[in-house]
Amino acid sequence: TSSSDDEEGEAATLIPASPAQDPQHADRPAAGRRCSGCDDPSVRGLVVITACFTLLFAGWVPMENLLSTYEGDLGYYALMTVYLAVVPGSFVAPWIMARAGPRGSMFIAAVPYTCFAGALVLKELGIGTRGEVLYPCAVGVGLGCGVLWGSQGVLLKTFSEAFDIGQTLRTQSRSAGSLGLFNGVGQAAAPGGGLLALIGSSLMAQFEIGRLTLYTSLFVSLAVGNVLLFAMPDAKQLLLERRTQLRELGQKSLYNPHGDHRPPAARPPVSILAIPRLLLRSPVLCYLQLCFCSGGYANAFMAGSFTADIVARHLGPEWIGYVMAARNVAGVLSGVGLGRLSDRIGRYRCYL
């Protein structure tokens, strides 16, 4: 009958033809013979983010951990300036991301890290020895910290949703289990890059290589990380295309059940002054402030006091990299492991 013919035709459009049935793709291997989704643009986006963060923090983590030891009070006050600037930068981050987009925001936030390393190079060359260049760069690093991590989180979520929709389109079965894995891999890039750089800086200190060479190598790592951001796919455009394809099949994304139009409450605030009020409205965020404060205190203590007053004094400066590398190993393992675990047991239970 005509209805059965219509059903068969509709099913044929939903089920992709095999290589044997499609002469145009007869020379291609079957999808099951290779890694499903490995050539997906969203996977390429994850690789680019991971590579960028690895290089960025390969340059930043050694500076953060060695400044108070190598530069004395200048390094200590530079770190203090960074941490003080993080506070207002966190409120400005949503406003910047709403206007520059996640990829543009990440580039804007990553440039001050490179400038900070460049200021240290200039100091070793005799320019700005009192911090005339270093302190403004430290302010830029602090202001961009929230933007950097916020844009990374948005990009990882966008690429993970695009990947899940792509898997749904390829396998015709609903998929929504890569958010934790994408976040785990992305979050592990920072301690992973720091791990490699800390070991390298310790070896340089052990062989008595000068600080100019060390700071220059960190500057190059940061600059390459900035340039790699231009190789990142357009996450927003990719997700819109995938959602359109999914909508044509009559399905909705598990990440975005309301469609492409966000409800008014989810839109970015127009005014920077409105951001603190929005944050204080959330009881969850109010409770999490204690966790955030304790995490910030622990990070500042490890980078500023623990390295200079304990490790360098009792073991020597060349051991700072190895000790902090052990900490970063735990960060890499927990980032990937807990990210995958959160996909199975839920993010709330994993956070507890």
Side-chain angles (χ1 to χ4, degrees):
T1 61
S2 60
S3 61
S4 62
D5 293 339
D6 293 340
E7 292 177 357
E8 292 177 358
E10 182 179 0
T13 60
L14 295 178
I15 302 176
S18 63
Q21 297 172 338
D22 191 355
Q24 296 180 354
H25 301 84
D27 56 339
R28 297 183 183 179
R33 297 178 186 175
R34 60 182 178 181
C35 177
S36 177
C38 289
D39 55 350
D40 195 297
S42 58
V43 176
R44 180 160 58 92
L46 173 63
V47 173
V48 172
I49 294 177
T50 304
C52 290
F53 262 67
T54 299
L55 291 171
L56 286 174
F57 283 87
W60 169 250
V61 171
M63 289 190 296
E64 185 183 28
N65 289 282
L66 297 175
L67 269 179
S68 58
T69 301
Y70 284 2
E71 302 298 339
D73 290 341
L74 177 64
Y76 182 82
Y77 290 125
L79 286 178
M80 185 179 67
T81 304
V82 171
Y83 299 143
L84 288 175
V86 168
V87 178
S90 300
F91 294 108
V92 178
W95 183 80
I96 295 177
M97 292 171 56
R99 281 152 178 79
R103 183 170 60 174
S105 300
M106 182 176 289
F107 181 78
I108 293 173
V111 169
Y113 288 80
T114 308
C115 295
F116 190 92
L120 290 175
V121 174
L122 292 177
K123 176 188 170 296
E124 292 301 315
L125 295 175
I127 303 175
T129 56
R130 296 183 178 181
E132 298 91 336
V133 183
L134 186 63
Y135 287 139
C137 294
V139 174
V141 171
L143 292 176
C145 182
V147 179
L148 184 69
W149 287 103
S151 56
Q152 186 219 31
V154 172
L155 285 171
L156 288 175
K157 180 181 180 300
T158 303
F159 282 128
S160 65
E161 181 181 354
F163 177 80
D164 286 335
I165 295 177
Q167 289 291 90
T168 301
L169 296 173
R170 279 187 290 269
T171 62
Q172 301 299 315
S173 61
R174 206 165 191 181
S175 174
S178 68
L179 179 58
L181 178 61
F182 271 54
N183 275 284
V185 174
Q187 297 295 332
L195 167 64
L196 299 175
L198 285 168
I199 295 177
S201 62
S202 291
L203 291 174
M204 295 176 73
Q206 186 174 353
F207 290 104
E208 299 181 353
I209 298 177
R211 285 183 292 183
L212 178 60
T213 304
L214 172 63
Y215 293 152
T216 303
S217 63
L218 300 180
F219 172 80
V220 172
S221 175
L222 288 160
V224 174
N226 294 160
V227 174
L228 274 180
L229 288 173
F230 292 99
M232 185 184 302
D234 190 341
K236 183 179 179 180
Q237 183 63 31
L238 176 64
L239 182 58
L240 288 177
E241 293 175 356
R242 294 284 171 85
R243 284 178 177 174
T244 301
Q245 296 173 4
L246 191 66
R247 192 163 51 246
E248 291 175 353
L249 296 179
Q251 300 185 26
K252 293 182 179 180
S253 172
L254 293 179
Y255 293 92
N256 190 36
H258 301 287
D260 292 334
H261 301 286
R262 291 175 292 177
R267 292 174 184 168
V270 178
S271 172
I272 298 178
L273 299 178
I275 297 174
R277 294 199 301 270
L278 292 176
L279 294 178
L280 293 176
R281 286 180 187 176
S282 174
V284 175
L285 287 179
C286 291
Y287 289 129
L288 287 177
Q289 295 304 317
L290 295 176
C291 299
F292 297 154
C293 290
S294 63
Y297 173 79
N299 184 70
F301 169 75
M302 292 292 291
S305 300
F306 178 76
T307 53
D309 298 335
I310 298 178
V311 180
R313 180 176 299 179
H314 296 281
L315 298 177
E318 67 275 8
W319 279 92
I320 294 178
Y322 297 123
V323 173
M324 300 305 290
R327 179 196 183 201
N328 283 16
V329 168
V332 173
L333 296 178
S334 63
V336 178
L338 293 178
R340 192 60 178 172
L341 182 65
S342 67
D343 289 330
R344 298 181 178 274
I345 67 175
R347 277 165 279 284
Y348 178 74
R349 295 186 181 91
C350 190
Y351 185 81
L352 291 179

